[in-house]
Amino acid sequence: LLGEVEINVDSDDARDVSVHAMDMRPEVLRVGAASMRAPAHLLYAGAVDERVKRNVPEVARVEKGELVISTDTHSGIDIDAVERQARARKGARRSAYLTGAYIGVAGALLLIAPTAVFSILFNTLDIAAAWIRVFGVLCLTFASYYIGTAYGDAKGSGAEAFYASTVVGRLFVFVALTSLVVFTGAQRGLIVLGIINALSALVMHAQLRASRL
């Protein structure tokens, strides 16, 4: 429930009205003379709705003249199971953050000091420093996918969070590969790969914007 619900009833009848939803984040909710408090993002121009989807059935009822939103324990849905799933998703997000962090740190170190870092595990004579930096770019890109998806999932974006993360990641690939060519003398063919990633990122961004209209 993300929009507006207004139920015009007398005060006596309002006590018999209930509004049920699996995602209770309305902009406006009014039953008779009782109204919910306005969400914080409606109080400031350009503010973003920071309310998190709970994935738990909720019900809104009028109690003592006030509109109260609480967990719907009579929905027939196993609340404990839903909450266990929510905890599991939280654990998955934490794991994704950690994975993204260590991949990101590895990628940054490979970009900054490719030979020194690569030599910790491998023989640097087997590969040129420029390609080690390319590997660092890929590490940072994958890190943005993990961290961006976990962050977006926490905000209720679901799979869209991953798609949005790929936009940022692929634009980064374009900037990073182009910079390697310009500043380190890497092979110019990397720019072609960068342009392909940039174009695909722009297409994905356009599709995501269209899906929200």
Side-chain angles (χ1 to χ4, degrees), residues 13-134:
D13 295 332
R15 291 175 296 181
D16 300 323
V17 174
S18 60
V19 179
H20 302 258
M22 275 298 295
D23 183 6
M24 186 75 78
R25 291 181 291 167
E27 303 287 304
V28 176
L29 180 55
R30 182 176 64 82
V31 178
S35 300
M36 63 171 278
R37 180 178 299 177
H41 70 281
L42 295 181
L43 303 179
Y44 307 97
V48 178
D49 188 355
E50 296 288 346
R51 294 176 296 176
V52 177
K53 181 178 180 180
R54 293 186 60 208
N55 291 314
V56 172
E58 294 179 290
V59 58
R61 292 191 179 95
V62 177
E63 299 178 4
K64 298 179 181 180
E66 299 290 333
L67 192 62
V68 178
I69 299 176
S70 59
T71 300
D72 187 358
T73 57
H74 302 290
S75 64
I77 296 175
D78 189 341
I79 304 298
D80 290 337
V82 172
E83 291 180 342
R84 283 196 300 272
Q85 289 179 342
R87 288 194 294 271
R89 287 177 67 88
K90 185 176 182 179
R93 289 195 297 270
R94 187 182 301 114
S95 176
Y97 276 126
L98 291 174
T99 301
Y102 91 76
I103 292 177
V105 170
L109 291 175
L110 287 170
L111 279 174
I112 296 170
T115 303
V117 175
F118 195 78
S119 64
I120 295 175
L121 296 176
F122 305 102
N123 184 353
T124 56
L125 298 178
D126 294 337
I127 189 170
W131 290 109
I132 298 176
R133 287 195 170 98
V134 171

